[in-house]
Amino acid sequence: ILVVGETARADHFSLNGYGRQTNPELAKRGVVSFSNVSSCGTSTAVSVPCMFSGLGMDEFTVKDGLKHTNLLDMLSSAGVQVLWRDNNSDSKGVALRVEYEDFKTPDKNPVCDEECRDEGMLVGLENYIDKHKDKDVLIVLHQMGNHGPAYYKRYPKQFEKFTPVCQTNELSKCTKEEIDNAYDNAILYTDYFLSQVIQFLKKHDKSHETAMLYVSDHGESLGEYGVYLHGAPRAFAPEAQTHVASVVWVGSQFDYSLNDLKPYADKAFSHEDLFCTLLLAYEMDAD
């Protein structure tokens, strides 16, 4: 399972040394956090298609990316069963030629309150895997995650651990503490969601080579130097918008163990490394 995160800064993950405990569940699960990952862009519209492109960050443009075979196309043509489930805006053109399911409304997503929750994307996956039990499977889950500016809406109320929270879209009307609190509560919910993904994969550990890779699409400015949200030009963007969270978990039969991956926890990576990483995971030639 590949989880495409939304607006998650690496420096707000306690796995990376953040002073608040924002990853209590992942800390129990035996994961490796890649602490030094840079995003292709500072917006979903750029970062998501760039992540799945083989063009590389320097050569990628959204227009050119749509003209080329992407990572999902390559895996699908090689016989991998690919499913994209989306609880965000959409796949930004990445999943046009693979199976796609929209989980943003209650008619599809059974876990909704004031908005539909990421964990709803896990419902029904047992049946999907059983249906394709003789094939390699890639499931992509595109989160709502920390999508701003309404961070306070991005998590169920039981995850409101840090208070008081900013409860308006006009972030300039809130204190830095209130903004951080709302943002960190949303990180807490992502931590829970990812732990549920791992629990789901563990059920299939004996029959499959299982793994979860999580990587956020971009970061977020939370008022530092008077800057909020994201979308700054990549060349001038603050690190808060480009230094993204990424976490991996692997099952007992996967080709690489966590001990194999731990030496790379602080190595510099970027979104463009996703292309080769997934091809190698499916034992395909990255060339």
Side-chain angles (χ1 to χ4, degrees), residues 95-116:
L96 293 177
R97 292 166 294 278
V98 299
E99 192 170 349
Y100 178 93
E101 295 178 342
D102 187 337
F103 270 70
K104 295 189 294 293
T105 57
D107 61 330
K108 188 71 174 181
N109 190 330
V111 186
C112 301
D113 40 57
E114 61 180 318
E115 66 177 40
C116 289

Side-chain angles (χ1 to χ4, degrees), residues 251-270:
S252 61
Q253 298 194 72
F254 197 68
D255 288 343
Y256 302 96
S257 70
L258 286 178
N259 285 334
D260 293 328
L261 300 174
K262 284 177 181 178
Y264 300 94
D266 299 318
K267 178 179 171 60
F269 291 109
S270 73

